[in-house]
Amino acid sequence: MAKKAIFNWSGGKDSSLALHKVLQGSEYDVVGLLTTINKKHKRISMHGVREELLDKQAEEIGLPLYKVYLPENLKMEAYDRLITDQLEALKKQGVTHSIFGDIFLEDLREYRERQLETIGLQGVFPLWKQETGTLANEFISLGFKAVLTAIDASKLDKSFALSEFDHTLLKRLPDSVDVCGENGEFHSYVYEGPIFKKSIPIKRGEIITESYKDEGHSFDFFFGDLQMNEGV
């Protein structure tokens, strides 16, 4: 009997590839997608993608979407509480496993597993320790299509925002940047692929620069705004 699992969904390429691999197997019964959203701006956390585009992904995948709304300037303890509350509610519905698209960040995996252990859930990492170049090429070869939506300005210049994630982009990336953006260099939005019933029509908008402060350090990000293309 398949194990009931919730999938931690970011809307990006690693999430999409991990979900595809899980859905191709029979070990897990994915009962829904779990996503954190900036409560003020109504956008996916870190990725900067509009909530309506997230809703469209869930619709085309055909899975329920569980949203956790995060207030501005949220402390880590409060974040943990919000996530724990949602996971505990899902556990009551029979969920035993929580699936992530992480690839090689050891400290992040350890944090996730500690949090899950307090609830009594087990973490699953379908892409763990796989070579990122191989994963990037597999993503493209499977027919997935994605756009870069958030760029760490200290790692890449503005021209990468809203670029298509394809072989041309992989060749453009500096050697210092992981081709899957696993060190936070960039985030993406997937609008087509084998997990979707049909492609999501999008149009590219403006690119804005946002600054963040954390423990005395300032970080700049380029956010490329995507919108639903209602005319398609």
Side-chain angles (χ1 to χ4, degrees):
M1 189 174 180
K3 306 161 188 171
K4 278 194 175 184
I6 188 70
F7 192 97
N8 295 270
W9 178 255
S10 71
K13 55 178 182 42
D14 298 339
S15 274
S16 296
L17 184 57
L19 179 60
H20 175 69
K21 289 178 179 290
V22 170
L23 294 178
Q24 290 295 104
S26 58
E27 186 173 359
Y28 300 100
D29 172 22
V30 180
V31 300
L33 309 173
L34 176 61
T35 305
T36 57
I37 297 173
N38 182 292
K39 186 176 183 179
K40 178 181 178 181
H41 300 290
K42 297 295 190 289
R43 293 176 182 259
I44 300 175
S45 301
M46 295 304 297
H47 290 231
V49 173
R50 294 169 182 257
E51 186 174 2
E52 56 263 33
L53 285 170
L54 167 66
D55 292 339
K56 192 63 177 175
Q57 284 181 323
E59 178 185 331
E60 296 302 334
I61 293 170
L63 286 172
L65 181 60
Y66 298 88
K67 302 174 183 178
V68 177
Y69 291 95
L70 305 179
E72 293 277 280
N73 305 314
L74 187 68
K75 299 295 184 183
M76 201 64 193
E77 295 82 3
Y79 170 84
D80 288 345
R81 186 70 257 164
L82 286 170
I83 298 297
T84 297
D85 288 347
Q86 179 62 80
L87 290 174
E88 286 179 338
L90 288 165
K91 183 183 178 183
K92 290 177 181 177
Q93 298 175 32
V95 168
T96 58
H97 290 71
S98 186
I99 307 175
F100 301 88
D102 301 321
I103 303 173
F104 59 65
L105 297 180
E106 296 278 1
D107 56 343
L108 182 57
R109 175 167 178 165
E110 288 173 4
Y111 161 74
R112 298 198 195 285
E113 290 182 327
R114 283 197 307 271
Q115 188 180 37
L116 292 173
E117 187 177 3
T118 64
I119 307 166
L121 299 180
Q122 293 184 43
V124 180
F125 301 81
L127 307 183
W128 191 247
K129 291 298 184 182
Q130 296 186 44
E131 201 274 319
T132 53
T134 301
L135 290 174
N137 283 291
E138 181 182 5
F139 176 86
I140 296 168
S141 67
L142 284 168
F144 280 108
K145 292 184 180 180
V147 175
L148 270 57
T149 58
I151 304 292
D152 183 342
S154 70
K155 305 291 178 62
L156 293 168
D157 64 58
K158 192 174 182 179
S159 69
F160 284 90
L162 295 179
S163 293
E164 195 77 14
F165 186 84
D166 54 17
H167 291 300
T168 299
L169 175 75
L170 298 184
K171 292 175 183 176
R172 285 178 61 205
L173 291 173
D175 291 340
S176 60
V177 171
D178 181 75
V179 292
C180 282
E182 181 66 356
N183 295 307
E185 298 97 330
F186 59 84
H187 301 289
S188 60
Y189 176 80
V190 178
Y191 63 92
E192 187 172 316
I195 59 175
F196 298 132
K197 288 175 282 189
K198 60 179 183 293
S199 177
I200 299 170
I202 57 171
K203 60 180 178 180
R204 291 163 170 80
E206 63 178 337
I207 299 170
I208 61 173
T209 304
E210 293 280 356
S211 295
Y212 300 90
K213 288 186 177 180
D214 182 30
E215 297 181 354
H217 299 286
S218 180
F219 305 90
D220 289 337
F221 276 82
F222 301 119
F223 287 99
D225 189 30
L226 288 177
Q227 302 173 35
M228 287 288 297
N229 191 347
E230 303 294 351
V232 176

